[in-house]
Amino acid sequence: MAMEIVGDVLRGIIISGLLLAGILVILIWVKDKTARISTLRLFVQIAFVPLLFLGLLIGPFGMPQSPQVGNAPREVLLGADILGHTFPDGISLPVLACWYPSGRTVTCPVWQMQAYIFPFWNAGPGFGWGTFYSSSGIERLAILMGIFIVMALVLGRFFCGWICPFGLYQDLMIRVRKLFKKAHLNFSDRTSAALRQSRYIIIAIFLILSVILGSQAIFGAQLVPDTQPGEYFYSYFTAPFCQVCPMRSLCVLLETGLGFMDANFVFSNTHGAFYEVGYYVTSLNLIVLGVVTVVSLAYRRAWCRICPLGGLTALFSTFAPFKRVALMRLHKDEEKCTKCGICKRVCPTQVTEVYEEKGGDVTASGCMLCFRCVEMCPYEDTLKVKMAGKTVLKSRNWLEPSESE
Amino acid sequence: MKNKNETKKYVPEIPQKEIEELRNSIKTTSQKIIAENIERMKKTSKNRAKTMQYFDENANFFGQREKEIQAAKASGKKVIGYMCMFAPIELILAADAIPVRVNSGWYDASKLGDRIVPVEVCPIIRSTIGAKMIGLSPYLELSDALISVLTCDGMTKLSEILSDYKPVWTMPIPRVKDSAHATRFWREELLATKAQIEALTGNKITGKRLRSAIELTQRATKAFRRLQDIRKGAPVIMGRDAMLVNQTYMWDDIKRWTEKTEALCDELEKMAQQKMWACPPDTPRVMITGTPMIWPDNWKAPTLIEEATPQGVLVADELCSSERLLYDPVGVDEWTMDDMLNAISERYLMASTCPCFTSEDGNEDRINWLLTKVKDWKINGVIYYVVRGCMLYAMEYTRVKRVLDRLNIPVYYLDTEYTREDVGQMKTRVEAFLEMLSARVDI
């Protein structure tokens, strides 16, 4: 037993060491290419795609739930064991790294929350989702939220701006639009604020739905037919948000297109002609993806305005009492600011707090810490990114007309 | 169309002969003053950068640059004059026209302006009217059209008076800038001006042209900021020299100006390494703020400060004729036409710290910017320079003083006129202030 733990720790150290070395090599290689923050961010975003979907590179490519070609890579890579609690779904990062397709190395916490609430009252360990859980839902939920809150406190919505692959997808849409030299549209400040608040309504809706659909396990009575364990909708509807999330269809379509998933299997695992519900993709998923794609061609980072995951991360990093201890903050020096409005205009999620607030800590819940404002602020030292009180990035005199874009 | 003279709203009938006489006499005096000012600037500075030579030559209003613009005009280029720094230079440049600032600093011309407007009016306005009456300013004469931004009362009526002579495009500016509708309004004004520039020059402002115009001014701002950064250290350049560099931007070819300023910065950096100071490093560091000071005549306040005993050195200013002209860059997010126009409109409206704005918190932007300057440029004292009739600056004095008092920075209110008669008493006042400053520096 002890030897196994030592072995696990050693393996973990070696893997993370290799990853770090890889990141360092890439960073050094792109150093002069990424003097600009936005270029650096693009590199980091791209670098994280293979990291998040590392399983695709090393195979074998089983189904996430019931591996048919041997063990799914995530079981080798990230099936975690935390204080005796088996986490076959892996650890989650606050990014939309979809649970459904094969090959991912981390899990989306939104999926985990919904899935773990389902057997919430089902105290004993057991099987769910075709995987063995050694502990009850409430224990797993506690660990999940514990890790989630810690990550939100350390990096906050930095995950959204720099790591989330769906953010990268929307940034690519921005680049597509730029190719056609079209200007973006803006939501009015009121709409923008309303969208930001809608994130919490979405969270509430999917949590309540998880409970209702999991009523069999919770109340011993079935509120919606066919949702009993083993019945048709059981495995589909216990994660209600995932039935509309655009990332699921994007991941599945991309991986199927690249040949990492079997198209016949993916699209046969559905109910009805238009994937009304499907194990891998529903018609809602596809519609939402289509809408989000079109809208993010017009509005920058459209999905991020309503993303419940971003809302959750913001909840634990920009609202009291969490904001007092959150480490990554955006800071503004009131005296150096001439209110030129650049920060407001360049913000991809139309955050107005950085511009409007007088000074001090200006981290806002809509801010995904992409630091575009810090990059574009023309007054030295006015905007600063502080990590645990230490300045890691600050605005500088950028006046060298850029050749990029 | 009626008889031309009937349509003149303000211009008095002055015989052509008198106009010529007046022009010649003021021009001769002005040329003397320009030469004298430059001579005195050379004398004051113990070590003066050799690259200042270019700016000294360029400072001559009636010299090389006038001929250049004349030649450009002959080849079909248009010249567009502007009065306030809110005029969108980038749009003028993108339409392949030449921007020149046409406010006047001639003392004698302000007396002529008295024939049209009463003496209570701000002398800059009176002087500009006077200069136009007799055709004194070469750049004002060469302009095909004028952009007048209605910042203060003087500018508002000035545009009306000047429209007797030339097409004047007015751009009303919102007095409260911090709102979405203010930005929208100003953007509409900008688009209207853009259309007028396009119609006058016959050149369409395309995205590509506008981008290169923006990049041109960004480079100028970069060079300018470099110069300002050098002035944060021990003085290697006298304040008047730096102010002159900034002033020449208002009529020079911007590309050439940028190159020369970069060259000047190179030389100044070398001088700083060799500790070749322009004046002793312990000279009290003075900042001047207030009414714009326009070359060539209205140079008395900086001259008095830097030639006084004890001497002061101007290391920073907050004047729209100097630092405010160039410090803020156009920050473009995406190089689309739409965003470039947004960036230009915001750079002029939002970044400006002109006292013509007000807000709930009392033009906080200007106050904050002054405080930053005081700290970053290690200012020992501030001279608040106001000409008679300049209401906006005069009225903001109390607030500025109160804020600077809290930092324990002495402020001196220096009020004057467009006249040479008060130089003697101003000298006494400035020297008393500098005496106090140098005592504080010694402590």
Side-chain angles (χ1 to χ4, degrees), chain B residues 281-310:
Chain B
D282 59 351
T283 314
R285 301 164 68 88
V286 182
M287 173 164 87
I288 195 158
T289 180
T291 317
M293 276 165 227
I294 315 272
W295 183 261
D297 277 22
N298 194 13
W299 214 238
K300 66 181 169 188
T303 307
L304 281 173
I305 295 165
E306 299 202 324
E307 288 183 2
T309 24

Side-chain angles (χ1 to χ4, degrees), chain A residues 177-178 182-184 300 335-336 338-341 345 355 358 372 376 378-379 397 399-402, chain B residues 178 211 215 218 221-222 225 328-329 331-334 336 338 343 346 350-351 361 364-365 368 372 375:
Chain A
R177 174 172 53 71
K178 278 185 187 166
K182 290 274 178 238
H184 59 75
R300 296 161 296 172
E335 282 181 10
K336 291 193 165 140
T338 60
K339 294 207 130 198
C340 71
R345 182 158 41 82
Y355 167 77
K358 282 204 151 185
R372 178 70 174 153
M376 290 301 288
Y379 305 100
N397 189 359
L399 286 157
E400 196 66 78
S402 62
Chain B
D178 197 2
R211 181 173 177 168
E215 286 177 348
Q218 281 182 346
T221 298
K222 190 185 168 221
R225 282 187 168 197
D328 312 300
V332 183
D333 183 26
E334 297 172 359
T336 57
D338 191 65
E346 285 184 11
M350 316 257 281
D361 43 20
E364 196 81 6
D365 300 356
N368 281 336
T372 301
K375 284 175 189 162

Side-chain angles (χ1 to χ4, degrees), chain B residues 101-346:
Chain B
R101 190 165 172 178
V102 296
N103 303 38
S104 152
W106 285 285
Y107 289 162
D108 301 330
S110 76
K111 306 221 164 36
L112 293 173
D114 295 352
R115 296 192 194 182
I116 296 184
V117 290
V119 71
E120 284 79 16
V121 172
C122 158
I124 299 178
I125 307 294
R126 280 186 288 132
S127 175
T128 311
I129 296 170
K132 183 60 231 169
M133 273 161 66
I134 55 165
L136 177 64
S137 160
Y139 306 127
L140 183 51
E141 291 312 303
L142 286 166
S143 307
D144 294 293
L146 299 172
I147 296 179
S148 174
V149 183
L150 312 181
T151 45
C152 57
D153 293 352
M155 284 296 166
T156 310
K157 286 290 145 184
L158 176 65
S159 65
E160 208 175 303
I161 295 166
L162 287 183
S163 68
D164 274 349
Y165 299 91
K166 281 180 192 295
V168 177
W169 307 328
T170 50
M171 293 177 81
I173 194 158
R175 285 289 176 91
V176 180
K177 58 182 175 178
D178 197 2
S179 73
H181 49 267
T183 325
R184 228 170 20 239
F185 173 80
W186 178 244
R187 198 187 129 94
E188 288 298 315
E189 286 298 326
L190 198 78
L191 289 179
T193 308
K194 175 173 168 269
Q196 267 159 328
I197 294 173
E198 281 174 339
L200 176 80
T201 57
N203 298 327
K204 189 148 172 34
I205 297 177
T206 60
K208 217 173 152 189
R209 280 179 168 170
L210 189 55
R211 181 173 177 168
S212 53
I214 290 176
E215 286 177 348
L216 185 65
T217 51
Q218 281 182 346
R219 262 180 232 116
T221 298
K222 190 185 168 221
F224 167 78
R225 282 187 168 197
R226 204 177 143 201
L227 179 62
Q228 296 313 117
D229 278 347
I230 291 171
R231 291 170 77 191
K232 281 183 187 169
V236 281
I237 180 167
M238 291 308 281
R240 269 180 298 165
D241 291 346
M243 277 170 79
L244 182 67
V245 172
N246 299 345
Q247 296 251 337
T248 52
Y249 174 82
M250 303 196 291
W251 57 82
D252 202 356
D253 177 67
I254 292 178
K255 196 170 170 211
R256 190 175 57 198
W257 182 90
T258 310
E259 284 162 13
K260 295 292 178 185
T261 308
E262 291 281 3
L264 173 67
C265 291
D266 288 340
E267 195 186 344
L268 290 178
E269 270 165 14
K270 262 186 221 132
M271 284 167 66
Q273 273 171 9
Q274 294 161 2
K275 300 200 188 310
M276 290 164 66
W277 311 127
C279 61
D282 59 351
T283 314
R285 301 164 68 88
V286 182
M287 173 164 87
I288 195 158
T289 180
T291 317
M293 276 165 227
I294 315 272
W295 183 261
D297 277 22
N298 194 13
W299 214 238
K300 66 181 169 188
T303 307
L304 281 173
I305 295 165
E306 299 202 324
E307 288 183 2
T309 24
Q311 196 187 17
V313 58
L314 286 167
V315 290
D317 63 64
E318 201 264 342
L319 301 170
C320 73
S321 60
S322 186
E323 290 200 6
R324 212 189 296 146
L325 195 64
L326 261 169
Y327 201 86
D328 312 300
V330 177
V332 183
D333 183 26
E334 297 172 359
W335 292 97
T336 57
M337 195 65 187
D338 191 65
D339 193 59
M340 280 191 272
L341 288 171
N342 279 339
I344 293 173
S345 103
E346 285 184 11

Side-chain angles (χ1 to χ4, degrees), chain A residues 118 121-122 211-223 228-229:
Chain A
F118 180 73
W121 301 95
N122 198 2
V211 172
I212 292 177
L213 295 165
S215 57
Q216 177 74 27
I218 296 168
F219 306 115
Q222 211 173 2
L223 297 183
Q228 232 174 319

Side-chain angles (χ1 to χ4, degrees), chain A residues 97-258:
Chain A
C98 188
W99 182 87
Y100 288 85
S102 47
R104 68 195 160 67
T105 47
V106 291
T107 303
C108 174
V110 176
W111 178 85
Q112 281 187 318
M113 282 172 66
Q114 301 170 93
Y116 295 166
I117 276 185
F118 180 73
F120 191 82
W121 301 95
N122 198 2
F127 292 89
W129 295 88
T131 6
F132 178 76
Y133 293 112
S134 65
S135 41
S136 71
I138 193 164
E139 288 168 309
R140 273 176 281 146
L141 205 56
I143 293 173
L144 163 75
M145 290 315 285
I147 297 175
F148 184 84
I149 291 172
V150 167
M151 279 192 285
L153 286 179
V154 173
L155 286 180
R157 287 198 67 194
F158 182 82
F159 285 104
C160 302
W162 290 69
I163 297 171
C164 180
F166 200 65
L168 173 63
Y169 176 71
Q170 291 172 82
D171 284 353
L172 292 179
M173 290 299 127
I174 293 179
R175 274 161 207 273
V176 169
R177 174 172 53 71
K178 278 185 187 166
L179 283 184
F180 294 98
K181 295 204 184 316
K182 290 274 178 238
H184 59 75
L185 304 177
N186 280 329
F187 293 111
S188 72
D189 283 356
R190 261 183 76 189
T191 321
S192 195
L195 286 175
R196 229 171 280 146
Q197 280 162 9
S198 76
R199 296 179 298 185
Y200 298 103
I201 300 172
I202 295 175
I203 296 172
I205 290 175
F206 79 65
L207 285 182
I208 292 168
L209 273 178
S210 305
V211 172
I212 292 177
L213 295 165
S215 57
Q216 177 74 27
I218 296 168
F219 306 115
Q222 211 173 2
L223 297 183
V224 179
D226 289 342
T227 52
Q228 232 174 319
E231 283 184 322
Y232 197 77
F233 290 137
Y234 165 70
S235 53
Y236 296 156
F237 263 30
T238 39
F241 178 73
C242 297
Q243 314 307 317
V244 291
C245 177
M247 187 58 181
R248 182 160 85 152
S249 40
L250 180 69
C251 277
V252 170
L253 290 181
L254 272 182
E255 291 197 16
T256 314
L258 292 170

